[in-house]
Each structure stands twice: as C-alpha cells, then as structure tokens.
Amino acid sequence: MDSQNASYNAGQAKGQAQEKASNMMDKASNVAHSAQDSMQQAGQQMQEKAQGAADSIKSILNSKN
C-alpha cells in the first residue's frame, strides 16, 4: 500500500509541476506578445513623427520658392 501511495503522490506532484510549467510558459508568451505590440506601436509613432517632420520641411521649402 505504501508503494502505491508513493507512486500516486509522485504522479500528483509531476502533474502539478507540469501544470505550473505550462502556466509559466503561457505567461511568458503573453509578456512577449505584449512587448512586441508595444514595440510595433512605438515604431509606428516614430514613423508618423518622422513623416510629419519631413512634410513640415517640404512645406517650408516649397513656401520659400
């Protein structure tokens, strides 16, 4: 009976460890996706600001001609 109990407890511990590992991987994946989204948004904002600056320079140069 003791060996069956030990085997059962080992199986339970293994299952719990696998579940925790799976949850940690899910959290890490969510963090990575969130970081990627933030970087894409920052890149888009920088691109828009650069385009606005370029348009302003073009406008200034065109008004002087």
Side-chain angles (χ1 to χ4, degrees):
M1 197 72 159
D2 284 340
S3 67
Q4 285 181 335
N5 230 3
S7 181
Y8 174 81
N9 288 340
Q12 286 289 97
K14 180 181 178 184
Q16 289 174 1
Q18 287 174 333
E19 181 67 22
K20 285 181 182 180
S22 177
N23 287 342
M24 289 176 66
M25 291 299 291
D26 288 344
K27 287 179 184 179
S29 178
N30 289 342
V31 168
H33 285 293
S34 179
Q36 183 181 16
D37 290 345
S38 294
M39 292 300 290
Q40 286 176 343
Q41 288 176 358
Q44 181 68 32
Q45 288 175 352
M46 288 177 66
Q47 186 177 13
E48 290 170 0
K49 287 180 181 181
Q51 185 63 52
D55 290 346
S56 294
I57 292 170
K58 285 179 188 177
S59 178
I60 291 168
L61 293 175
N62 284 337
S63 68
K64 291 189 175 190
N65 289 332

